[in-house]
Amino acid sequence: MDIPGFALVTGAASGIGKACALAFARDGAAGIALLDLDLAALSAVKVEIESAVPEQQNEDGGKEFQIEIYAVDVRNEEKVNAAVNAAAAKFGRLDYVVNAAGIAIKHQGGAAFAETSDWQRILDINLTGTFLVLKAAAKIMLKQDPILSSIDGRPLQRGSIVNFSSIQGVVGIELSTAYTASKHGVMGLTRSASEDYAKDGLRINAICPGYTETPMTTKNPAVLKAMEERVGTAVPMRRMGKASEIANGVIYLAGGRSSFVTGSALMVDGGYTTR
Ligand SMILES: NC(=O)c1ccc[n+]([C@@H]2O[C@H](COP(=O)([O-])OP(=O)(O)OC[C@H]3O[C@@H](n4cnc5c(N)ncnc54)[C@H](O)[C@@H]3O)[C@@H](O)[C@H]2O)c1
C-alpha cells in the first residue's frame, strides 16, 4: 500500500486502532508508535503484532521493524507532546499519524438530560485529543523532507494524518448528542487544518466508519443487541464492519495511494450514509 516510513497510532490498545497498527506492520511500515491509556494493554498488543508479523524487516531490507509503546491520555497536552516527540526522535521522522483514540456515551432521554460531564469528557477525548496529537505531529512533519514512494520513488508527502470521525460526523443518531458533535468537530478540524498545510505537503484526512465490531460496540450486550437490530434495516450491506476493514481505509488515506487526497472524508460504512 506504499507506506514506507514510520506511523503513530492512538487508541492502539483496542479495536480499530489495534487493527491499524497491525495493518501498518503487515503492509511494510518501518516502525510504529502505539499510544493508549494502559501500558499493560499496549504491551500485549505489541507482543501480538510481533508474533503476527515475525521477522519483519523495513523496506530497505535492513533494520528490524520497530514497535514503541507509550501510555498517554490524549487529553494531556504535555504527555502527548512528550510521546510524539519521543517517537519521532526514536524513528528519526514521523510519516503517518492515526488519531483513533475515542469513546462513545449514549445519553438516556436525549440532549435535554445529557450529563454535562459526559458532554465534556467526550469532547475532550474525541475532539481536543485529536487536535493535540495533530498539533504535535504536524510541527514535526512540516520540518521533514517528503518521503519517497516505495513503489516508484516519487516524493509523496511530508506527513499524512488520518483523524477518526464516524458516520456521526455527517449524520445524527439518537441519544448521541455529544459523540455526534465531537465527530462533526473532527470533520471541521480535518478540513480546516488540511487547508493550512496542503501546499506544504502535509495531508490531513478523516475516516468515517459505520457500525464496526470492536469492544466499543460489543462489550455491552444491550448496546450490541440494539446495534444489530439497527444494522439489519439501516445498513445496506446488512452487517457490521470489521476493524480490519476500517484499517484498510486508513492505510489507503495514510500512504502513497492517496497522494492527491487531502481534507477529505472516506466513508467506510457498508453504505449507511447513502440512505
Ligand atoms: N466501533 C465503531 O462502530 C466505530 C464507528 C465509528 C467511529 N469509531 C471510532 O473509531 C475509533 C476507535 O474506536 P473503537 O471502536 O476501536 O473503540 P475501542 O473502545 O475498541 O478503542 C478505543 C481505544 O481508545 C483508547 N482511549 C480512550 N480514551 C483515551 C484517552 N483519553 N487517551 C488515549 N487513549 C484513549 C481506549 O483505551 C481504547 O483502547 C474511535 O475514535 C471511535 O469513535 C468507531
Side-chain angles (χ1 to χ4, degrees):
M1 276 301 251
D2 208 5
I3 44 161
F6 298 90
L8 181 147
V9 181
T10 74
S14 175
I16 298 170
K18 179 172 151 185
C20 291
L22 186 58
F24 275 111
R26 284 201 168 127
D27 284 15
I32 46 178
L34 309 182
L35 276 61
D36 208 297
L37 292 171
D38 180 350
L39 201 58
L42 282 173
S43 302
V45 169
K46 182 177 176 190
V47 170
E48 202 178 318
I49 293 177
E50 280 166 346
S51 61
V53 191
E55 307 287 312
Q56 179 91 15
Q57 305 248 298
N58 73 17
E59 299 213 330
D60 303 328
K63 237 168 132 190
E64 217 174 272
F65 182 72
Q66 299 177 62
I67 307 182
E68 300 295 323
I69 55 175
Y70 302 93
V72 174
D73 185 329
V74 294
R75 292 171 290 187
N76 183 327
E77 185 164 16
E78 214 176 296
K79 287 254 171 71
V80 164
N81 288 342
V84 172
N85 290 335
K90 181 90 192 167
F91 295 151
R93 57 184 291 131
L94 195 54
D95 295 291
Y96 318 104
V97 163
V98 178
N99 271 307
I103 60 161
I105 298 175
K106 290 274 186 195
H107 316 294
Q108 288 318 313
F113 300 96
E115 295 292 341
T116 307
S117 56
D118 285 347
W119 165 273
Q120 199 57 57
R121 188 159 165 251
I122 290 203
L123 268 287
D124 285 349
I125 295 174
N126 293 4
L127 182 55
T128 307
T130 299
F131 164 67
L132 294 176
V133 175
L134 178 149
K135 193 173 144 180
K139 280 188 191 136
I140 293 164
M141 289 170 162
L142 286 165
K143 283 196 225 137
Q144 62 193 15
D145 289 333
I147 195 156
L148 303 182
S149 165
S150 59
I151 294 170
D152 55 17
R154 76 199 155 103
L156 294 174
Q157 65 266 320
R158 283 181 212 285
S160 176
I161 298 175
V162 182
N163 295 327
F164 265 78
S165 182
S166 162
I167 47 177
Q168 284 169 261
V170 295
V171 296
I173 289 183
E174 62 184 2
L175 308 182
S176 217
T177 312
Y179 185 82
T180 302
S182 74
K183 294 301 185 180
H184 274 67
V186 168
M187 297 289 265
L189 167 65
T190 302
R191 289 182 175 131
S192 183
S194 73
E195 280 262 1
D196 291 339
Y197 305 119
K199 65 182 180 322
D200 304 311
L202 169 54
R203 298 191 297 110
I204 305 175
N205 290 287
I207 188 149
C208 299
Y211 297 110
T212 307
E213 285 170 27
T214 70
M216 181 182 273
T217 50
T218 59
K219 70 181 170 208
N220 178 334
V223 170
L224 179 60
K225 188 163 177 286
M227 195 167 285
E228 281 171 345
E229 280 167 19
R230 188 162 170 81
V231 163
T233 53
V235 179
M237 288 179 88
R238 295 193 184 162
R239 68 172 177 89
M240 293 176 76
K242 305 223 168 297
S244 59
E245 293 179 292
I246 310 303
N248 288 340
V250 167
I251 296 292
Y252 162 72
L253 286 175
R257 297 288 188 187
S258 62
S259 55
F260 196 47
V261 179
T262 198
S264 78
L266 179 63
M267 311 308 300
V268 187
D269 64 355
Y272 181 92
T273 44
T274 60
R275 291 190 162 166

